[in-house]
Amino acid sequence: MTEWFGELAARWPEMWPVLWLGTLDTLYMVLWSGLVTVAVGLPLGVLLVATDRDGLTPAPVLRAVLGAVVNVGRSLPFIVLMVAVLSLTRFITGTTLGPTAAVVPLSIGAIPFFARLVETALREVDRGVIEASHAMGARKSVIVVKVLLPEALPGLVASLVMTVVTLVSYSAMAGAIGGGGLGDIAIRYGYQRFDDYYLWATVVFLVLMVQLVQSAGDLLVRRVSHR
Amino acid sequence: MINAVGLHKAYRLKGRRIAALQGVDLHVRQGEVYGVVGRSGAGKSTLLRCVNLLERPDRGEVRVDGQDLTALGSARLRAARHGIGMVHQHFALLSSRTVAGNVAFPLEIAGVSRVERRRRVAELLDLVGLADRARAYPAQLSGGQKQRVGIARALAPRPKVLLSDEATSALDPATTAGILDLLRTLNRELGLTILLITHEMEVVKRVCDSAAIMEDGSFTESGRVSDLLRTPGSLLTRSLFPLPSDPPPGTVALTYPDGTDEPLMSQITRGFDVDVNIIAGALEEVAGHSVGRLNVRITGERRAEALAYLADNGLLVEEVR
């Protein structure tokens, strides 16, 4: 055991730059796909709730279509989805390799997931508050922006944290088809070259990253919750 | 102020058709407190929601302050709703906003400027006695305080009409009394017309000028409380003053709708030579004036004349069989 750590310490100067770059790549992928996911998934989640039978603007057909699209996205294993959208990835980013290319499948994979979580969080909002807003003469857009979203904020933040954690794990999978990042390192060094030191180092880095995101998220949820 | 005519509303619940309103006419005068009493499921909640068109009646017309709400488009309807405040049984406050933020909300909707909002919020919190809790969140307040915030919020856009949906049902008796007193004060000082629904007769007794009793989607009786008390067989009177379950034969129920100044009992014993035996009696404060009810047994040759004399003196005389 001490031998193993001695070896690790000896190799660390050589490993560190690789791991650091991998970490930056992972952060890059998670950050950008996270932003795209929120930009698309949040409105999608709002639409899922608003178009429901007892929602703000019931639209059964639209609701059924959106629900079906989301379910398709949710049912594909990420690794399959990644391969399936390769041509779209090339169309958008001009390449299928590297962290930027990985943002496309990561976003597509996380959007339906996040949208469903948003839907659930919005459904938690007290119906009485929405009725009261109607009684005050609020228009629907005002109800979404000033009532639904702020009232559901703690749930929305928790959903975002869960999505980011999922994105970290998806991003590691993206490494398998050349996405870069810590997952890429784990596969190239750890799996293909049987280099345990890289394998365990990436595991520790990923665990730390998830812990950090979760703790920061929990703190934020507590800050925004006034229930 | 509120004139609803011929309201019908039916729902479909699991394939069954439920008639919530079956031809209700509601007339609430300017500046009065009007109470609709009934059991749950009687349709009073639907009725209240039809007044600000949260629910659209299947048939019938709703006029508030002269404006036919049923004929308005959605933008005009939203504008009209600024003039109709509503307080809710479970308060319906925004948990994400402070007390001040909640009261400011309808003003934001109505497009009132920030400076004006701040001024108005301070004024309203003063009015409901919560100036020191402006920065608190609803979760930190007691039920009574939450309802005060609800009332302040409802009053923010200076409505002419306030709808109260079981506003005191979730509160304990002492808090209920406080909220009812507040509503009464607002009614008197702001000239606010209040329509409230409740399942508690006590609420009608405490604050209402007029009342309606609702059963199975229609009014069984309605009118000024003081008139209802004069109506023979009134359900309201009987609910306020329950009779003994097994009255002895010959018992007469006497209601004093306008208080009691004359010594009527001794007048009839002397004038008509009858015996009066008092079985039960109660004096209640109804809508600000005292109303008495006496169950007496009157015997004697000239009993009928004595009863006629009492009726002539403004008492409601009912034979109990």
Side-chain angles (χ1 to χ4, degrees):
Chain A
M1 200 67 182
T2 44
E3 215 178 299
W4 196 88
F5 279 108
E7 176 71 14
L8 179 68
R11 291 190 54 195
W12 189 250
E14 154 225 334
M15 285 169 70
W16 168 248
V18 177
L19 289 168
W20 178 240
L21 278 179
T23 304
L24 288 183
D25 279 351
T26 295
L27 287 177
Y28 174 91
M29 287 188 281
V30 170
L31 185 74
W32 282 106
S33 55
L35 285 175
V36 175
T37 299
V38 170
V40 181
L42 188 64
L44 187 56
V46 170
L47 267 181
L48 281 172
V49 174
T51 56
D52 203 5
R53 200 154 23 96
D54 49 0
L56 284 173
T57 48
V61 179
L62 179 60
R63 155 87 210 184
V65 171
L66 289 176
V69 170
V70 166
N71 285 342
V72 168
R74 293 276 291 119
S75 53
L76 283 183
F78 181 66
I79 195 116
V80 177
L81 179 126
M82 212 160 43
V83 179
V85 299
L86 273 180
S87 51
L88 179 68
T89 304
R90 187 176 294 115
F91 176 75
I92 295 176
T93 63
T95 172
T96 59
L97 293 173
T100 304
V103 168
V104 176
L106 283 175
S107 305
I108 294 175
I111 286 167
F113 178 72
F114 183 61
R116 281 291 184 213
L117 292 176
V118 168
E119 182 190 6
T120 310
L122 293 180
R123 279 192 201 289
E124 293 292 305
V125 175
D126 181 8
R127 298 199 60 81
V129 176
I130 295 169
E131 187 191 65
S133 310
H134 280 298
M136 283 182 257
R139 59 171 71 237
K140 287 163 187 169
S141 56
V142 170
I143 294 181
V144 169
V145 175
K146 294 202 170 197
V147 180
L148 264 183
L149 294 177
E151 285 293 291
L153 192 59
L156 292 176
V157 173
S159 306
L160 180 62
V161 171
M162 207 187 270
T163 304
V164 169
V165 168
T166 305
L167 277 172
V168 170
S169 98
Y170 281 2
S171 79
M173 268 189 257
I177 62 160
L182 289 170
D184 191 29
I185 294 168
I187 287 166
R188 279 193 291 128
Y189 291 81
Y191 178 66
Q192 288 163 354
R193 297 188 202 165
F194 304 104
D195 190 334
D196 279 358
Y197 297 99
Y198 273 105
L199 182 64
W200 289 110
T202 51
V203 167
V204 169
F205 270 57
L206 286 170
V207 168
L208 282 179
M209 206 179 279
V210 168
Q211 287 291 351
L212 221 69
V213 169
Q214 189 68 52
S215 307
D218 289 347
L219 199 74
L220 195 59
V221 170
R222 264 198 303 271
R223 281 288 301 277
V224 298
S225 176
H226 298 291
R227 281 180 191 280
Chain B
M1 195 55 156
I2 302 173
N3 284 295
V5 185
L7 294 185
H8 282 82
K9 175 84 187 178
Y11 297 100
R12 225 157 246 304
L13 196 69
K14 290 175 186 149
R16 277 182 44 222
R17 189 173 171 281
I18 294 165
L21 298 180
Q22 317 196 53
V24 175
D25 295 333
L26 173 72
H27 301 285
V28 182
R29 276 173 285 259
Q30 155 87 48
E32 75 173 344
V33 181
Y34 193 110
V36 178
V37 217
R39 281 171 233 251
S40 58
K44 41 191 205 308
S45 190
T46 306
L47 174 64
L48 195 77
R49 279 165 179 68
C50 279
V51 172
N52 61 0
L53 248 61
L54 280 179
E55 306 217 23
R56 193 168 277 275
D58 298 335
R59 259 191 292 151
E61 187 188 271
V62 180
R63 282 182 176 277
V64 176
D65 199 16
Q67 198 173 27
D68 181 2
L69 298 186
T70 38
L72 296 181
S74 63
R76 301 268 308 278
L77 177 60
R78 283 200 304 272
R81 281 176 177 162
H82 296 320
I84 308 172
M86 189 172 188
V87 286
H88 307 261
Q89 180 176 6
H90 298 294
F91 323 122
L93 301 176
L94 294 166
S95 64
S96 55
R97 286 179 176 230
T98 61
V99 164
N102 268 286
V103 178
F105 184 46
L107 299 172
E108 288 173 29
I109 294 172
V112 174
S113 75
R114 181 183 297 266
V115 181
E116 173 62 18
R117 282 204 305 262
R118 190 168 304 166
R119 205 187 55 72
R120 180 85 181 125
V121 168
E123 188 180 296
L124 285 159
L125 290 180
D126 249 355
L127 184 68
V128 299
L130 280 176
D132 55 331
R133 303 309 310 267
R135 288 163 170 280
Y137 283 90
Q140 299 165 301
L141 301 180
S142 70
Q145 288 174 324
K146 283 182 198 168
Q147 199 54 290
R148 282 169 191 273
V149 178
I151 291 171
R153 176 176 72 176
L155 295 179
R158 303 181 194 277
K160 292 183 173 165
V161 174
L162 184 70
L163 306 178
S164 163
D165 179 8
E166 299 268 11
T168 58
S169 299
L171 304 174
D172 63 68
T175 317
T176 294
I179 293 292
L180 291 178
D181 288 346
L182 175 62
L183 288 178
R184 193 72 199 167
T185 309
L186 295 171
N187 160 256
R188 293 223 180 93
E189 290 180 2
L190 308 177
L192 189 67
T193 306
I194 300 178
L195 171 63
L196 61 86
I197 62 169
T198 180
H199 62 267
E200 294 164 308
M201 212 36 105
E202 188 65 28
V203 171
V204 174
K205 203 165 83 182
R206 259 194 111 91
V207 297
C208 293
D209 302 305
S210 295
I213 294 181
M214 197 165 184
E215 236 172 86
D216 295 329
S218 54
F219 286 174
T220 50
E221 59 186 70
S222 65
R224 286 200 167 93
V225 172
S226 52
D227 292 341
L228 289 177
L229 290 175
R230 269 177 249 267
T231 311
S234 159
L235 219 65
L236 182 83
T237 314
R238 259 184 283 160
S239 309
L240 288 180
F241 305 102
L243 288 169
S245 54
D246 195 14
T251 303
V252 177
L254 304 173
T255 309
Y256 295 68
D258 304 310
T260 47
D261 288 335
E262 296 285 305
L264 292 170
M265 287 305 117
S266 48
Q267 284 172 8
I268 58 169
T269 47
R270 264 181 279 135
F272 302 97
D273 198 22
V274 289
D275 289 317
V276 177
N277 184 20
I278 295 172
I279 298 165
L283 192 66
E284 295 271 7
E285 196 76 13
V286 180
H289 50 249
S290 51
V291 175
R293 174 93 152 177
L294 214 49
N295 289 334
V296 295
R297 214 169 146 223
I298 300 177
T299 47
E301 291 286 316
R302 299 172 66 191
R303 179 173 187 274
E305 281 175 72
L307 294 183
Y309 177 81
L310 292 177
D312 285 346
N313 279 277
L315 263 57
L316 174 62
V317 180
E318 288 169 281
E319 293 272 5
V320 181
R321 282 172 223 293

